[in-house]
Amino acid sequence: MSTTPTVVLVHGAFADAASWSGVVEELQSHGVPVIAPPNPLRGLASDAAYVASVASQIDGPVVLVGHSYGGALITVAGTTENVVGLVYVAAYALEEGESLGELQGRFPLSPLVSNLKQWTYPVPGGEPAVEVTIAEDAFPSVFAADVPAEVTRILAAAQRPLAAAAFEEKASAAAWKTKPSWALVAGADNAINPEVERFGAKRAGAMIVEIEGASHAVAVSQPKAVAELIRDAVRATG
């Protein structure tokens, strides 16, 4: 059984596991075991259960890393026994019993909120459910302002929708109360108000790094900085 924690990278809404590519490359180049599983994006409880299941099947300790909505998932899934640390990357760090909507509602809304596009998807035996993406013309400024235009066009076209119900689901646990945490605040985030990121990170007692001028897609634009924070967590927990 390895004593070096395996890093599990959990992407957020409007993205997929490929958004971690630069971070994966950096971690692998330093010999850090890492996987970036798909996030179903269908609801807080079910998505967190999926992440917890992935973590629990890894031999040895695990550091969970969550970007954006993925931060809410690691907050719940982090109670899994072999999880030894949490890293929040431009992410939501919820309190137990709190929803994304409630945490966001404490602060002025980001430009994301007025640029969401609604879709529907079928639910077996029920009415169609609502999911959201970011309007393609707004995607660069909202999600990835510091990423080259030719890349943001691809990211916008390939974005994965989030079930709208996820905004109202309440976290069933807050793993940061018993596990050490680290947080990267993206100082120029237009998807999550940076104040939301700072508030959650401070409440969690996280070791905080802030990157001025970084967009929500900081893992794409600054993978070395993101990987360095993750390596800090791996060194501290390994």
Side-chain angles (χ1 to χ4, degrees):
M1 185 179 287
S2 172
T3 55
T4 300
T6 297
V7 173
V8 177
L9 301 170
V10 182
H11 68 82
F14 323 123
D16 61 21
S19 61
W20 290 115
S21 296
V23 176
V24 170
E25 183 179 11
E26 282 293 316
L27 293 174
Q28 288 178 339
S29 73
H30 287 91
V32 178
V34 55
I35 63 170
N39 177 351
L41 301 176
R42 296 295 79 168
L44 180 52
S46 61
D47 293 344
Y50 179 79
V51 172
S53 174
V54 170
S56 68
Q57 294 176 72
I58 293 172
D59 288 333
V62 168
V63 169
L64 288 180
V65 182
H67 174 245
S68 190
Y69 166 68
L73 303 186
I74 70 169
T75 297
V76 177
T79 58
T80 305
E81 189 175 350
N82 63 326
V83 173
V84 294
L86 310 169
V87 182
Y88 294 90
V89 178
Y92 296 103
L94 297 180
E95 170 64 280
E96 184 176 353
E98 184 177 55
S99 69
L100 296 174
E102 287 168 342
L103 177 54
Q104 285 191 148
R106 295 169 179 258
F107 302 93
L109 294 177
S110 72
L112 169 74
V113 178
S114 59
N115 286 289
L116 291 175
K117 180 178 179 181
Q118 290 196 352
W119 307 72
T120 60
Y121 64 97
V123 177
E127 292 294 313
V130 175
E131 60 185 13
V132 291
T133 58
I134 302 172
E136 280 201 37
D137 60 344
F139 188 94
S141 63
V142 168
F143 198 89
D146 58 351
V147 176
E150 62 271 20
V151 178
T152 61
R153 283 195 293 270
I154 296 168
L155 295 177
Q159 62 180 299
R160 290 184 53 212
L162 173 67
F167 289 103
E168 304 308 320
E169 280 191 67
K170 296 181 185 296
S172 60
W176 48 258
K177 292 183 176 181
T178 57
K179 310 283 174 86
S181 60
W182 289 257
L184 186 152
V185 174
D189 199 329
N190 285 324
I192 300 176
N193 184 334
E195 287 296 330
V196 173
E197 299 171 19
R198 290 187 198 102
F199 174 83
K202 287 177 182 175
R203 182 173 61 181
M207 294 285 294
I208 302 171
V209 171
E210 180 155 350
I211 301 183
E212 211 173 316
S215 77
H216 193 58
V218 63
V220 178
S221 63
Q222 302 203 39
K224 287 181 184 291
V226 173
E228 182 57 37
L229 182 64
I230 295 168
R231 288 172 59 216
D232 286 346
V234 169
R235 284 189 288 260
T237 56

